[in-house]
Amino acid sequence: MAAALRSIQLIQLPRGVIDALAAGDLDGANRQAPLELTEHFSRDRQPLWRIRSAQLQEHPGDAVWITRAVYDPELRRAVGLAGFHGPPDDAGMVEVGYSVDPAYRRQGYARAALEALLAVAAQEPSIRVVRATISPDNEASRRLVEQYGFVANGEQWDDEDGLEIIYEVDAGEEAGSGG
């Protein structure tokens, strides 16, 4: 049985926070952040923040789409990160990404983050397809997206993450159907 859906908020991180995380400066990021960020935001995540920092330098408008903090208002702390890789492409596709701090895994946060992202996609007319790319050995994440109607339709090699299975679902059909 799935964990009860957590009440979360996706908190946009200011550009300076993303730049500090890209530089490996968690303390500097926390001085600018609207909430306290844990080691999960820095440890093994620096390549992600470098990508997002460079992306914002080239396309500042992407800030409203990209990685955010997953905040649990009951615990009053960040428990992970989630967002889109960027705005919808010319075909109307967005890719989701999420990661939960190991201390908070298996408690429904990934599900809540995915549902929040799918709800955004369902409300945005320019989005037609939602994609998730997942390592073949990440069984929990694969099972999660499959519960929301995502279907595997190929593989790709990612220079950072290695082999990934490509999952996609039509936007608007998946929100609220997991479970």
Side-chain angles (χ1 to χ4, degrees):
M1 171 157 282
L5 190 61
R6 291 290 191 153
S7 175
I8 61 154
Q9 297 170 353
L10 297 181
I11 307 291
Q12 185 175 343
L13 299 173
R15 170 82 186 273
V17 172
I18 292 170
D19 292 343
L21 291 168
D25 183 6
L26 181 60
D27 290 336
N30 271 321
R31 284 193 292 276
Q32 303 173 63
L35 69 163
E36 183 181 355
L37 305 176
T38 65
E39 279 292 320
H40 184 68
F41 283 78
S42 64
R43 186 180 53 234
D44 301 328
R45 299 291 178 280
Q46 192 174 7
L48 166 71
W49 299 118
R50 286 181 180 149
I51 291 167
R52 297 295 170 244
S53 178
Q55 178 180 1
L56 291 178
Q57 185 169 343
E58 189 171 336
H59 303 285
D62 287 4
V64 299
W65 291 98
I66 64 167
T67 311
R68 297 170 178 247
V70 177
Y71 178 76
D72 181 327
E74 185 177 319
L75 295 179
R76 301 175 72 178
R77 68 181 309 123
V79 296
L81 45 136
F84 299 103
H85 289 208
D89 66 13
D90 292 340
M93 187 274 295
V94 291
E95 185 171 342
V96 296
Y98 49 86
S99 175
V100 176
D101 187 313
Y104 299 99
R105 288 185 182 155
R106 308 296 300 164
Q107 297 179 39
Y109 290 111
R111 178 178 301 281
L114 180 60
E115 283 203 7
L117 295 170
L118 292 172
V120 169
Q123 295 298 312
E124 175 55 51
S126 63
I127 299 176
R128 294 198 306 268
V129 174
V130 179
R131 175 178 286 176
T133 56
I134 302 169
S135 170
D137 63 353
N138 188 342
E139 184 71 26
S141 194
R142 289 182 24 236
R143 279 195 318 265
L144 176 63
V145 299
E146 288 169 356
Q147 290 173 8
Y148 286 84
F150 284 77
V151 176
N153 66 359
E155 296 179 346
Q156 70 181 19
W157 183 262
D158 182 271
D159 289 338
E160 292 292 331
D161 299 323
L163 181 64
E164 297 175 326
I165 300 171
I166 300 169
Y167 288 87
E168 291 182 342
V169 68
D170 288 340
E173 293 182 8
E174 68 291 329
S177 65

